[in-house]
Every structure is written in C-alpha cells, then in structure tokens.
Amino acid sequence: MALVHKLLNGTYILRKCPKPGVASCPFLSTRFADYCSSSLEKPVAAPGKAPSQRKTEGNLEGHHQREVALDITSPEDKPEVSFDKAIKEEIKDHFRRLKDDIVNHWIGPEGRPLHEVLMEQAKVVWQFRGKEDLDKWIVTSDKTIGGRSEVFLKMGRNNQSALLYGTLSSEAPQDGESGRSGYCAMISKIPTGPFERKRFYDWSQFNTLYLRVRGDGRPWMVNIREDTDIIQRKDQMYSYFMFTRGGPYWQEVKIPFSKFFFSNRGRIRDAQYKLLLDKISSIGFTLADKVDGPFFLEIDFIGVFTDPAHTEEFAYENSPELNPRLFK
Amino acid sequence: MSWAQAILLARGLSRGWGGICSTALTGAPFSQVTPQAPRGLHCSTAAHQPDSPLVPRPPEPQRGLVKALAPHEELFRQAPDGVRDKASFVQAVQNFTQYNVHKRGHVDFIYLALRKMREYGVERDLAIYNLLLDIFPKEVFRPRNIFHSIFLHYPRQQECGIAVLEQMENHGVMPNKETEFLLTQIFGRKSYPMLKFVRMKLWFTRFKNINPFPVPRDLPQDPVDLARLALRHMEPDLSARVTVYQMPLSKDSTDATDPTEPHIIGIQSPDQQAALAHHDPARPIFIEGPFSLWLRDKCVYYHILRADLLPPEERLDLAYGRSSWDDYEFNIDEVEEGPVFAICMAGAHDQATLAKWIQGLQETNPTLARIPVVFRLSASSGELLASSSGLEEPPLTPPEGREEEENNQQRQQQSQS
C-alpha cells in the first residue's frame, strides 16, 4: 500500500477523474484492490478451521488490520473438529466437484444443455435470497488504510434482498501519506471450481448489466474485473457509475457493457479499450462520493441480458491528442 | 567532524530519542515518532522545545495548541471580526505577491492557499483557481531545450500545478481558456499540468450529463423548498401533486425548524389516490420511516404510507404472452412489496406530526378516514446513529429494520373531533 502511495505521489502519472459531481476517488480503489486480492484468498484457505471467527451473523467485513485479533478464537468458541476428518471431507468434496465438472462438460457449458445456453437472453447472476448468497461477497472500507468508514452487509427485509449499509467518513488517516479517504466497497468473490481453481464468468452473449436496487440517492461506481491470471490485470478494472434515485421504489439500473471505461491502478487511462466479456472474474460496487454520513443500498438481484436496441460497441474513442501512438 | 557539527548532531539525536522515549512512556504507537524525527543538522532549533528532551512531553492534545505555523500562514490570519470570503482570500493572495516581488516560497503558499480555500468558501470558484495559477512566475518553468524536456523540468512546481488542477477536479470545476493560457505560459504545452488539463477537458465533458436523476448544485436553503425538490425527485410519476400541509412558524425570533410546528409536505399521484380509494378498509395501512435520502450533500428524511402485500390468492397475475424466441424476463421472482400510497417529509419524526399529515391526506382521500393506520417508526430518532467500531452487530438501526411500535389505530372520531 505504501508503494501505491509513493507511486501516486512521487511519479507524475496524471490521473483523470470522471465527472466530479460523482466523485469516485478511483485512486483509492487500488488500495482496496490490493487488499481485496489478499483477502479473497483468506476465506478460501484453511478448510479445517472453523469459520466462526470470520463471520458473525452474516456480517461480512474484510478485516485486515484486525485480523490479528480475530484469528484467535475464544476457548468456548472452538468447536469439536477433528483436523484429519475435516481434511478428508474437504478432499472428497473437491473430488466430487471435479467429477461434476467433467460430467457437466459433456452435457454442455456449466452443466446446461447447449441450446438452453445459446438461447438465453437474460440471466440472473447474483441473487440475494438467503444467507449463503451473502457469502459470495466481500465488503471493504477504508478502515484498511486507517480511515473511519464502516460498512456492513446483511439480508434485508423478509430475506428478499441484501442491504449494504454503513457510514462514510472522509477523514483522512493520519499516516502522513494519504491526503484523502472515504470509500466503501462490496466486491464479489471470484468463483472457484474444484481444488480452488479460479473460474470466470462468460457473458459474451449479453450486452447489458441489469441491477434492481433501491438506494438513497448516492452515486455508486460499478467495477468489473477481468480474469486475473496475468499479474498486471490485478490492477485493471472497468468501471461506470450507478446513480440511485432514492425513495421507496425499486429502481432498475441498466448499464450496457459498452459504457465501461478502463482504468489501471485507480486512474483512468488515456488509451481506452472495450470490456471483453468472456473472462469476467468479479464485479464490485464502490461508494466514494466525498460526503460524510450514513448510506444504504438494497440490492434485489444482479443479472445480465441482451438489449436488442443497444448497438453501440464502445462509448469512448481514443483521442489523437492524448494518444498519438495509436493513430500512427 | 567539527565540534559545532557534533553538538548539532547530538542535539538532533537526543530530540529524536526523547521523542521515542516519550511515546514509549505514553504508550502511543510508534508512528507518532515521525513528527518528532530529528531534524536536519542545518535546521534551526527554535521550532522545538529546548528543554530536556528526555522528559516525557505532554500528550497529543496539548501539543496541538502549539502548532507551528505553515510558512506564509500569517497572510491568512485575520482580525477576529473579519469575514472569510472571496474578497479577503483575494486580498491575502495579493498581499503575498505584493510583499514578495520575487515570489519566494510560492509553491508553499499555493499549497497553503489550496488548503484554506474551503474555509473561505471559494473551493468552487474558477476565478480563484486562475488567480492561484497566476502566482507562478511565467515563462521560467518552460522547457527550452531537449534536456529540459527529457528530465522533468522544475518538478516541485509541476507537482504544485497538478495539485491545483486536482483540487479543481475534486470540486467539479471545469477549467476554461484562461486556465489553458496560464498553464501554457507557465509550464509549456508539453508539461504534465497541461496534460492533466487536456484530460480534464476530455473526461469532464464526457461525464457531464450521465446522471439520469440530476440534482441542482445549489440546493435551496429553505426546508420547504428542499422537501419539495426531494419529493419530486423521488416520485417518478410526473402528475403527482405536492401539498404543503403545514408551513413552519415564520422566523420572528425562533429558527425555522421549530419543534412545535414543523413543516409537513406530502406528495401523492392520482394513481396512488385511486389505489387508496380502492383499499380494503379491513386491512391496516402503515406509516413507515424515517428513511434517508441524499441530495448531493444534504440528507433529508421521509416517511411513506403503504399497505402490505395482498396474499397470493388475491393478487392479479398478469402473464404476458411471449414468443418463444424472445425471452427477456429474468428467471427470478422480483422482490414485491406493498403499494405505496403517499410520501411525506416533515420537520419532526414523531407521531403527532405524522398524524397531522394523515389528517391532511384525509381531505383528498376520504376513504382514509375508515382505514386503520399503524405507525411503524424506526426506533432511532431519525438520525442514523454512528455505529461503534466493533465486531458485533452495530447499534445503528438500518432503515429497513425497524421495531414495530404498534400504536393506537387512528379512527374517524379523531379526525371528526
């Protein structure tokens, strides 16, 4: 994280921020990006250990600086777990999933017959109907860099939606290098196959992202990350804004994938590329609009669909002034 | 090394050690050593307390009172009755240029001015930013030959220029031709501040109008107008009517949000009116709230009048005929909630105020008199409390989770009496 700070302050890579009224602070996202990639591994490791110390009633918050205290389970919390038995069960589980994977491969992509997959025009990717759906998400805030924002995720009313709520505080941490702070984020975990192999989503037939949300009027930023096997890709993401209306009515947000702009290490790059949909690894929502106070966002489900009326391929053209090399 | 250097070194080291010892004694984390790190040998000793450095220093809060002033900060100090506004800011900047013909320390001054802008309320004023850029000496920092352009020419100044543009960007100020001219004059066309300017021009114009629900930048100060704007913002039905049920007491000596007579403003569309007219009087309707709505940086609270969902048997099931090729429906049951009949914003969040709203609503919805109304207000006073940092469920009551305060059901007698 210090390295990122140094890079941001010491070098002269200029950054572009999108519409200021929205105030996304993308430069901070690199820090939670760094953090996020390390925390994504954490819940996945240690199959034998009891997960009780990591989650409390569905509250998921990526602890980083508080991990040290959390990993020590209190004596009365320790369940009776036999390490060998847990390991054996885990291995059996993985082999079972591997077998399912191989069998599914013969049926069709992801275990569904091919004609069904090809004809599909609307697909629900994440829904929030139970606690296990919340496990697919991680929430972070600038607590990891020493800020004061807090964010929590829990099931909403009647277990029909997820509620992401908390308080944003743009008080900068007194660590001598951050000038600004104040962000909260909810990121989906990278889907894993058997033996924790990274998998990805393939949305190449769809062209629009659909979200049914109910917010409080704050502007959010939607970030999509591509497959992170290549090291550099860890810092790259495609983002766009989601403006919530506020109010008691559910809001349908449709963002075509052609509108996502490319950014690396938290800064918009001059050379813009289209988002390629065949290897998506995670999606995330960030709130960093520089306004202190409580916030909430209720999400019903997240899906992708094909909008036949949308024919735009990519919304941003490269400018010869900023990128003369592309136009030679 | 000579004895003078040895003494200075010893003094510097002891100061550093004293810092470490004192922080160790007070138990503060070691990161606080940084402000007391031994200064260079050539720095003056006047800034630090000259008494014995091994005696533990007083803790942080007291030390805050003896903060060292930033260079040029005295230019921004004012008479106690002086108002901090644009004119005094401009005056302070002009004082700097006046007393300092050679503009020594202009980088520090510009950083200080950027920090002070918020106090003076000028952070969104483009003229002020141009004035700050004007402080830079012109033509000096432009690269003149190939060696200047290979190596970053005058790096601190370029960083400072970028900082000015970055603050402009943070506050949503679009630079103009004057800024461009100034930047070209000061740094040249191939410099980093100029590059940042080009990027700002490009991305600002791209993202200027992407908000489908725009909120004006200058929000009205009057709570009634603000509530009107907020209600219109929330209600998608354009034919909805905003009604002011109660105006706040006029300000003679009290402020507008008098607790005895807060403002009550409601909104209801004709469809909602019709739905309420058809509502079965045997089933109660609920007043829920308060929920928060953010408009730019202002948070307002609103309540809603809604009914529960009809049980599945009574619900109309409209199945649209779809062709087998086109299926844009998502394979999920969307969250369904009962219909909302009206929304209101009031100065206070207690039952008495909301009861007045209901009475006001009864004028346009006579059937409301027969329907029992239940108050489901959230336990907090409407302000969402700051949650304690802890691992347990925070005490903050999220707006959707509320304790039902099933209260006495309002009947027609109350309205008729």
Side-chain angles (χ1 to χ4, degrees):
Chain A
M1 290 182 204
L3 178 62
V4 171
H5 281 292
K6 267 218 163 28
L7 279 170
L8 291 173
N9 299 333
T11 63
Y12 308 98
I13 304 170
L14 297 173
R15 81 128 153 149
K16 264 343 293 151
C17 193
K19 180 173 191 310
V22 175
S24 52
C25 277
F27 93 103
L28 288 167
S29 58
T30 52
R31 252 165 286 146
F32 81 78
D34 287 351
Y35 159 78
C36 163
S37 48
S38 60
S39 75
L40 280 172
E41 264 61 51
K42 184 174 190 308
V44 155
K49 297 255 167 34
S52 59
Q53 72 264 33
R54 263 181 270 114
K55 302 178 215 157
T56 51
E57 303 172 45
N59 267 6
L60 296 176
E61 181 163 27
H63 328 287
H64 198 213
Q65 288 161 347
R66 287 190 280 166
E67 265 170 8
V68 179
L70 279 183
D71 279 350
I72 305 167
T73 48
S74 53
E76 54 277 6
D77 265 28
K78 268 209 196 91
E80 295 302 317
V81 133
S82 138
F83 198 61
D84 295 326
K85 192 160 95 117
I87 291 261
K88 277 204 201 90
E89 272 184 22
E90 192 75 22
I91 294 178
K92 269 195 252 175
D93 186 44
H94 279 304
F95 273 113
R96 200 180 320 129
R97 280 157 73 182
L98 183 64
K99 179 206 65 155
D100 286 337
D101 227 19
I102 297 174
V103 166
N104 286 342
H105 193 69
W106 284 107
I107 305 175
E110 292 161 30
R112 293 185 307 158
L114 188 65
H115 64 269
E116 203 185 289
V117 171
L118 284 181
M119 297 294 290
E120 193 178 35
Q121 279 155 331
K123 176 167 145 178
V124 175
V125 190
W126 285 281
Q127 58 184 8
F128 298 96
R129 298 287 182 265
K131 283 263 158 56
E132 60 279 357
D133 295 319
L134 288 186
D135 290 347
K136 298 188 191 144
W137 295 82
I138 281 187
V139 280
T140 46
S141 72
D142 68 349
K143 270 221 163 83
T144 57
I145 53 164
R148 301 267 174 93
S149 320
E150 289 172 342
V151 62
F152 307 98
L153 178 67
K154 66 174 217 170
M155 287 307 288
R157 250 216 282 202
N158 294 335
N159 271 5
Q160 289 273 316
S161 55
L163 179 69
L164 178 73
Y165 64 97
T167 321
L168 199 70
S169 153
S170 55
E171 198 186 311
Q174 307 280 338
D175 57 358
E177 26 179 19
S178 343
R180 291 173 300 162
S181 181
Y183 68 89
C184 297
M186 173 165 132
I187 307 143
S188 73
K189 292 192 189 162
I190 303 179
T192 49
F195 296 106
E196 311 300 344
R197 285 187 65 228
K198 264 196 280 206
R199 274 209 296 221
F200 43 83
Y201 298 104
D202 181 4
W203 296 337
S204 27
Q205 337 157 348
F206 307 106
N207 70 355
T208 317
L209 182 70
Y210 178 99
L211 303 133
R212 191 153 190 265
V213 296
R214 186 157 62 176
D216 55 349
R218 287 208 181 195
W220 290 75
M221 193 156 165
V222 180
N223 309 317
I224 295 185
R225 280 230 151 86
E226 288 193 324
D227 187 29
T228 50
D229 269 341
I230 306 178
I231 288 282
Q232 272 83 357
R233 289 258 187 96
K234 167 168 87 84
D235 303 319
Q236 295 172 1
M237 66 185 181
Y238 294 81
S239 351
Y240 199 66
F241 306 100
M242 173 171 78
F243 293 95
T244 51
R245 189 186 200 136
Y249 304 112
W250 283 96
Q251 181 190 351
E252 298 177 351
V253 178
K254 295 185 198 164
I255 308 178
F257 288 120
S258 62
K259 296 274 186 202
F260 282 82
F261 55 84
F262 174 72
S263 65
N264 185 357
R265 308 211 82 182
R267 303 201 179 241
I268 303 188
R269 293 295 154 183
D270 292 334
Q272 286 294 322
Y273 309 113
K274 192 161 90 138
L275 166 64
L276 297 170
L277 293 158
D278 55 344
K279 275 200 190 334
I280 305 279
S281 80
S282 70
I283 197 173
F285 302 99
T286 310
L287 176 70
D289 62 349
K290 299 196 259 250
V291 175
D292 293 347
F295 66 88
F296 72 90
L297 181 76
E298 233 185 305
I299 312 177
D300 179 11
F301 70 93
I302 300 170
V304 284
F305 75 106
T306 327
D307 189 356
H310 186 79
T311 47
E312 189 186 40
E313 292 217 354
F314 188 49
Y316 311 106
E317 48 180 29
N318 289 303
S319 117
E321 206 178 311
L322 280 176
N323 248 332
R325 261 176 296 167
L326 287 178
F327 287 86
K328 285 231 183 81
Chain B
M1 65 174 115
S2 75
W3 61 271
Q5 283 176 330
I7 288 183
L8 284 172
L9 178 61
R11 216 181 266 161
L13 281 176
S14 65
R15 225 178 286 127
W17 272 115
I20 292 176
C21 286
S22 70
T23 52
L25 283 166
T26 55
F30 266 70
S31 61
Q32 286 181 12
V33 172
T34 331
Q36 299 168 28
R39 308 254 298 256
L41 292 179
H42 305 287
C43 290
S44 69
T45 55
H48 281 275
Q49 295 151 20
D51 52 285
S52 167
L54 289 176
V55 171
R57 298 241 174 90
E60 262 312 323
Q62 274 171 275
R63 224 184 281 133
L65 294 170
V66 202
K67 242 193 313 197
L69 285 178
H72 306 297
E73 188 152 348
E74 63 278 0
L75 284 166
F76 283 99
R77 209 178 318 148
Q78 281 187 311
D81 54 341
V83 62
R84 303 190 149 199
D85 64 347
K86 182 170 170 175
S88 44
F89 191 88
V90 170
Q91 185 63 39
V93 171
Q94 279 169 354
N95 284 348
F96 173 77
T97 45
Q98 215 177 358
Y99 294 131
N100 211 339
V101 177
H102 299 284
K103 310 231 177 112
R104 285 196 195 94
H106 60 274
V107 170
D108 285 325
F109 180 74
I110 292 179
Y111 279 126
L112 175 69
L114 286 175
R115 283 199 296 270
K116 291 273 180 193
M117 266 181 153
R118 192 168 265 271
E119 279 174 33
Y120 286 75
V122 290
E123 69 264 10
R124 291 221 294 266
D125 199 340
L126 178 59
I128 297 285
Y129 286 109
N130 286 339
L131 188 73
L132 282 187
L133 279 179
D134 210 18
I135 298 176
F136 282 111
K138 315 287 183 294
E139 311 284 346
V140 182
F141 307 138
R142 290 170 74 157
R144 257 164 259 268
N145 52 39
I146 184 97
F147 299 108
H148 288 170
S149 30
I150 292 175
F151 299 101
L152 189 70
H153 202 47
Y154 282 100
R156 303 292 142 237
Q157 279 78 359
Q158 289 212 15
E159 270 176 8
C160 188
I162 294 173
V164 174
L165 287 171
E166 181 142 345
Q167 188 162 22
M168 250 201 259
E169 174 187 9
N170 280 340
H171 286 112
V173 179
M174 176 83 188
N176 65 357
K177 280 210 168 339
E178 195 188 331
T179 324
E180 183 178 3
F181 180 68
L182 276 165
L183 287 172
T184 319
Q185 240 190 345
I186 300 167
F187 295 110
R189 238 177 316 116
K190 298 256 181 166
S191 58
Y192 282 103
M194 197 60 206
L195 190 51
K196 183 169 174 81
F197 170 82
V198 169
R199 287 188 184 126
M200 271 165 95
K201 229 172 34 164
L202 175 69
W203 290 102
F204 278 20
T205 42
R206 271 182 182 165
F207 292 136
K208 197 168 157 61
N209 296 317
I210 51 170
N211 192 346
F213 317 113
V215 176
R217 194 166 268 274
D218 299 314
L219 290 168
Q221 297 294 324
D222 181 29
V224 176
D225 286 334
L226 186 64
R228 212 188 288 259
L229 177 76
L231 287 172
R232 278 250 171 257
H233 181 83
M234 281 195 290
E235 179 62 56
D237 195 342
L238 288 172
S239 53
R241 279 175 56 240
V242 177
T243 333
V244 181
Y245 296 107
Q246 188 172 279
M247 288 291 285
L249 268 183
S250 58
K251 322 184 223 202
D252 16 29
S253 51
T254 58
D255 58 340
T257 52
D258 197 0
T260 55
E261 265 217 40
H263 60 273
I264 306 176
I265 301 158
I267 190 171
Q268 195 183 37
S269 73
D271 290 341
Q272 287 170 338
Q273 240 177 325
L276 189 52
H278 286 118
H279 185 81
D280 180 16
R283 309 182 55 244
I285 55 177
F286 305 96
I287 296 188
E288 294 178 356
F291 303 115
S292 60
L293 172 76
W294 284 91
L295 296 166
R296 288 246 177 221
D297 54 349
K298 285 214 174 112
C299 185
V300 291
Y301 296 95
Y302 63 94
H303 295 261
I304 54 179
L305 185 70
R306 69 139 44 108
D308 264 345
L309 269 182
L310 294 171
E313 335 39 276
E314 293 173 32
R315 249 179 268 170
L316 291 172
D317 202 7
L318 305 158
Y320 298 99
R322 288 225 173 268
S323 68
S324 53
W325 288 109
D326 283 341
D327 181 20
Y328 298 110
E329 293 286 314
F330 285 97
N331 190 13
I332 187 173
D333 293 322
E334 291 179 346
V335 170
E336 285 187 18
E337 290 181 356
V340 173
F341 294 123
I343 315 176
C344 97
M345 276 198 182
H349 305 298
D350 57 336
Q351 243 186 284
T353 328
L354 297 169
K356 283 193 210 156
W357 172 45
I358 295 289
Q359 282 169 9
L361 263 183
Q362 276 174 6
E363 289 161 32
T364 42
N365 301 281
T367 42
L368 187 56
R370 275 176 283 132
I371 307 175
V373 175
V374 177
F375 286 82
R376 262 200 213 154
L377 305 172
S378 78
S380 62
S381 63
E383 304 295 314
L384 293 172
L385 308 161
S387 57
S388 62
S389 62
L391 304 174
E392 72 279 6
E393 282 274 344
L396 168 137
T397 339
E400 292 307 308
R402 65 190 74 77
E403 298 163 16
E404 304 194 10
E405 290 175 6
E406 299 265 349
N407 225 318
N408 48 336
Q409 300 178 354
Q410 283 206 338
R411 297 259 159 201
Q412 199 185 3
Q413 302 93 305
Q414 266 201 351
S415 63
Q416 279 190 342
S417 64

